[in-house]
Amino acid sequence: MAPKPITSPVPVEWYPSLSVLMLSIGLVLTASFFIYEATSSKRSRSLAKEITIGAVSSFFLGFGSLFLLLATGVYV
Amino acid sequence: MEGIPPRRALILVLVLVVSSLFSVLASSSSSSPSQDVRILSVERRIDLTSFIVRAFLAFKVENTGASDVSEILIAFSPNEAQHLAIVKASTTAGKRKKKAYLPLDVNPIESPKGPNGAQLFSIALPTPLKSGDTAALEVLYVLTHSQEPFPAEISQSESQYVYYRDSALLLSPYHIKEQRTFIKTPSSKVESYTNVSPNNRVGTELRYGPYHDRSPYSHSPILVHFENNNPFAVVEELTREVEISHWGNVQITEHYKLSHAGAHHKGVFSRVEYQARPSISGVSSFKSLLARLPPRVHSVYYRDEIGNISSSRLRSDSLKSELEIEPRYPLFGGWKTTFVIGYGLPLQDFLFESSDGQHYLNFTFGCPLLETVVDRLTIKVSTLQF
């Protein structure tokens, strides 16, 4: 009947690596979004593609910034 | 008996019955506990080597009544009860080699109080004591603010002397057959002590006793005036904030108001004299405090309103961490200082899930500073649930 210790859902040692990885993926996707916007003309733009790249990049940037805060010691 | 109307006879009989019932009830409740239990011997060791008074009693009690006794009462004078920090009792089980100590529950009794407002505490025995049997008990109690500095004001180069007031006879609701008291002072400089024969003094130990056959609640006040230069560190107010984050960290912030509760410092403070002759100057002052923190502590900081205080050392091993802090100035009698200590701890050491699915926090309540008295403690726990 030993009590089970409660730990974080993600191992604490992964916080810095996870934050760097997710932020870099998110920034790469953000860059690809901007490149897409810059290189496409009014006719060849596709709304679905814009929305998907934006959504996926914001997902990665969001979690990356969460893990960045946790890695620096601001335990939110 | 003739000539009394039947109704009056009935009333008379009723009154007689009711009064006899009352007398039976009164006689059954008047069997006070002091008739049933007798203390065969008690040895009291009072440790005055620190600002905090620790007293250790070893009893042998005997049940002289007819029925089983399931609790033993101990008494404290109203002054002692006000300054009581903790009372613990234990009994030994097993013979010489296999002695094991069983902790016993000690509960205060609100009423009835003893004579002159003495506060009673009840110790629950593990098995009821049968008639004619004896039992051995040990009681530890700790008193705070019980050493009064006298003289109340001293200069920088004087030593600190304090009064300690107690009784040569143990205050007890029971008849005591034999008792002894040993008082240990921090040094052999004892200015004066009350003589209650037979008593003597050997080095740092005062011995009172043995006294034979004393009635319940007997009291013989004694006053010991001795030198005590140990740090009188008192935290007047402590506010602890515990923030639990489910991402794996428990952050604690503690706000301290520390003061020196010994004899007040009068005159000037000469830093030159303090540093040149440390064995004479400032003997009753203290300049560092030790805090015991859990192991695996990280991000420890020590600052006050001015900024960070760098005079601190953290030493940690696998069982505990020790933080030694030095305030910005040494503390003499009556001087105060405020500071903030903060640290972080891993979550899995303190937050657990019990078998019925409830989460609970297992954290220490008190102050991590060693050998200090805390007057007012506020602890705030907050969770940052996601």
Side-chain angles (χ1 to χ4, degrees):
Chain A
M1 261 242 331
K4 196 170 60 122
I6 295 178
T7 56
S8 156
V10 174
V12 181
E13 304 83 32
W14 290 8
Y15 285 160
S17 339
L18 261 180
S19 71
V20 165
L21 185 70
M22 288 195 153
L23 279 176
S24 51
I25 293 176
L27 287 172
V28 160
L29 286 168
T30 311
S32 88
F33 178 81
F34 277 114
I35 290 172
Y36 179 71
E37 290 299 313
T39 54
S40 62
S41 63
K42 198 164 165 196
R43 260 172 317 191
S44 65
R45 265 199 304 240
S46 138
L47 185 65
K49 198 162 172 203
E50 282 176 341
I51 288 183
T52 43
I53 297 185
V56 173
S57 77
S58 75
F59 172 86
F60 277 103
L61 279 177
F63 272 97
S65 57
L66 168 71
F67 285 118
L68 179 68
L69 279 173
L70 291 175
T72 53
V74 180
Y75 277 88
V76 289
Chain B
M1 285 302 224
E2 299 150 22
I4 300 175
R7 191 183 284 169
R8 219 184 257 179
L10 191 61
I11 294 172
L12 204 61
V13 163
L14 268 172
V15 166
L16 274 170
V17 164
V18 167
S19 61
S20 66
L21 260 173
F22 269 125
S23 66
V24 162
L25 278 170
S27 66
S28 69
S29 66
S30 72
S31 62
S32 50
S34 58
Q35 324 292 15
D36 285 348
V37 178
R38 198 166 57 142
I39 297 181
L40 292 174
S41 76
V42 60
E43 188 181 287
R44 199 158 56 130
R45 287 188 185 272
I46 300 178
D47 186 1
L48 298 176
T49 52
S50 150
F51 162 51
I52 303 168
V53 176
R54 293 180 174 92
F56 186 74
L57 284 78
F59 286 97
K60 271 208 187 51
V61 292
E62 183 191 5
N63 183 0
T64 52
S67 54
D68 286 354
V69 162
S70 60
E71 61 170 21
I72 304 281
L73 298 176
I74 48 174
F76 293 99
S77 66
N79 201 29
E80 271 184 350
Q82 238 182 349
H83 292 129
L84 201 60
I86 189 169
V87 180
K88 286 204 278 197
S90 70
T91 183
T92 59
K95 299 284 178 192
R96 294 199 168 264
K97 288 273 167 83
K98 299 181 214 163
K99 249 189 190 181
Y101 288 94
L102 298 168
L104 303 171
D105 283 333
V106 184
N107 295 308
I109 299 180
E110 291 303 322
S111 67
K113 288 210 194 296
N116 289 331
Q119 175 75 35
L120 294 172
F121 280 76
S122 143
I123 304 172
L125 291 172
T127 54
L129 191 64
K130 302 215 186 318
S131 168
D133 269 358
T134 61
L137 285 177
E138 287 168 2
V139 172
L140 164 76
Y141 66 88
V142 174
L143 297 171
T144 61
H145 293 287
S146 294
Q147 296 183 14
E148 184 197 328
F150 188 83
E153 287 187 356
I154 55 172
S155 75
Q156 182 181 342
S157 49
E158 283 175 28
S159 198
Q160 182 173 265
Y161 282 81
V162 295
Y163 274 154
Y164 174 65
R165 291 185 175 85
D166 201 343
S167 154
L169 302 172
L170 177 69
L171 189 69
S172 171
Y174 309 123
H175 182 98
I176 305 181
K177 196 148 179 255
E178 189 202 333
Q179 55 179 306
R180 281 168 214 267
T181 303
F182 299 90
I183 299 181
K184 191 166 153 83
T185 56
S187 72
S188 52
K189 290 215 187 89
V190 176
E191 184 79 17
S192 70
Y193 56 96
T194 319
N195 277 315
V196 181
S197 70
N199 68 323
N200 69 335
R201 180 165 91 93
V202 175
T204 57
E205 196 174 66
L206 285 166
R207 295 181 191 163
Y208 283 88
Y211 303 110
H212 296 280
D213 288 322
R214 297 288 192 224
S215 52
Y217 294 111
S218 52
H219 188 76
S220 165
I222 58 170
L223 179 72
V224 184
H225 192 201
F226 60 98
E227 177 195 67
N228 191 349
N229 281 324
N230 289 315
F232 272 44
V234 165
V235 177
E236 284 172 5
E237 198 171 329
L238 169 58
T239 310
R240 298 183 91 197
E241 292 157 12
V242 178
E243 288 161 8
I244 307 167
S245 162
H246 284 258
W247 286 107
N249 188 43
V250 177
Q251 184 72 26
I252 293 114
T253 316
E254 297 169 347
H255 300 265
Y256 289 86
K257 281 196 176 60
L258 181 73
S259 80
H260 186 298
H264 279 229
H265 175 247
K266 70 168 185 233
V268 291
F269 170 58
S270 161
R271 175 66 77 166
V272 171
E273 209 185 301
Y274 176 71
Q275 284 188 303
R277 281 182 253 174
S279 56
I280 306 172
S281 182
V283 279
S284 66
S285 67
F286 62 90
K287 65 174 187 186
S288 70
L289 288 169
L290 197 64
R292 181 157 289 155
L293 302 175
R296 293 175 289 275
V297 67
H298 64 86
S299 315
V300 184
Y301 61 87
Y302 169 48
R303 57 173 82 113
D304 67 1
E305 285 179 359
I306 301 170
N308 183 44
I309 306 175
S310 58
S311 49
S312 60
R313 300 278 173 278
L314 180 68
R315 285 179 282 262
S316 41
D317 60 28
S318 58
L319 292 172
K320 63 180 188 309
S321 307
E322 280 183 355
L323 176 69
E324 188 183 333
I325 54 169
E326 281 181 37
R328 292 187 190 276
Y329 42 87
L331 280 161
F332 281 79
W335 292 14
K336 299 185 207 291
T337 180
T338 57
F339 51 86
V340 174
I341 294 182
Y343 48 95
L345 296 163
L347 184 70
Q348 59 261 28
D349 288 347
F350 298 99
L351 199 66
F352 299 97
E353 185 175 350
S354 66
S355 46
D356 56 352
Q358 291 233 352
H359 291 192
Y360 65 92
L361 175 75
N362 187 11
F363 196 70
T364 173
F365 172 82
C367 171
L369 291 176
L370 299 178
E371 289 297 315
T372 52
V373 172
V374 180
D375 283 346
R376 279 190 304 277
L377 171 66
T378 309
I379 184 163
K380 307 181 197 173
V381 179
S382 67
T383 60
L384 311 166
Q385 277 276 11
F386 63 96

